Amino acid sequence: MLPRFWRKIKYRYRLVGSYCENCGEYYHPPRNLCPKCRRKGSIKEVPLGSEGTILSYTVVHDAPDDFKLQKPYVVGLVKLDCGAVVTAQICCKPEEVEIGRRVRAVFRKYSEEGEDGIIYYGTKFELI
């Protein structure tokens, strides 16, 4: 688990995705092949920006052990201004969230492995 964590670290601490130079589409998570253009596509890794709009969401009331202290919490689909869609936690009270609200990416704690273990951080979203 730990080696994979370090290999993917640049994707955890900023919003990085793929851009197809052939069709102009952005994707998250990063891809090696454009789903539209297939082999004709020319994919490059790009930063995705930090603001977007909530497309859909759900409120999680029964959470895994790592997230029990956060419940209930909101997980949503966010369409970034570049067009890529990201699934992430939205930091707000469940009654504050609504489809169409603007959000921005923020750097927050995800979880930790015990009292003396690794603390995992990553991207969540907050209402603007």
Side-chain angles (χ1 to χ4, degrees), residues 74-85:
V74 180
V75 175
L77 290 174
V78 175
K79 184 171 186 177
L80 298 173
D81 291 342
C82 68
V85 177

Side-chain angles (χ1 to χ4, degrees), residues 4-30:
R4 190 178 98 214
F5 172 80
W6 290 109
R7 279 195 311 269
K8 301 285 186 178
I9 203 160
K10 71 178 175 179
Y11 302 111
R12 294 187 196 284
Y13 297 117
R14 55 180 198 193
L15 282 173
V16 176
S18 298
Y19 173 72
C20 178
E21 294 176 323
N22 188 48
C23 68
E25 292 289 327
Y26 289 87
Y27 298 101
H28 185 271

Side-chain angles (χ1 to χ4, degrees), residues 40-104:
K40 294 178 185 175
S42 177
I43 293 287
K44 70 177 189 175
E45 199 171 271
V46 294
L48 295 176
S50 61
E51 293 189 3
T53 305
I54 298 172
L55 291 178
S56 183
Y57 68 91
T58 189
V59 178
V60 179
H61 293 278
D62 190 21
D65 289 339
D66 288 346
F67 298 94
K68 290 232 184 249
L69 296 176
Q70 298 178 32
K71 69 180 189 177
Y73 60 91
V74 180
V75 175
L77 290 174
V78 175
K79 184 171 186 177
L80 298 173
D81 291 342
C82 68
V85 177
V86 178
T87 303
Q89 185 175 349
I90 301 170
C91 302
C92 67
K93 295 177 183 173
E95 58 272 11
E96 296 175 330
V97 70
E98 59 187 56
I99 293 172
R101 278 290 296 264
R102 296 284 296 163
V103 291
R104 95 173 116 246

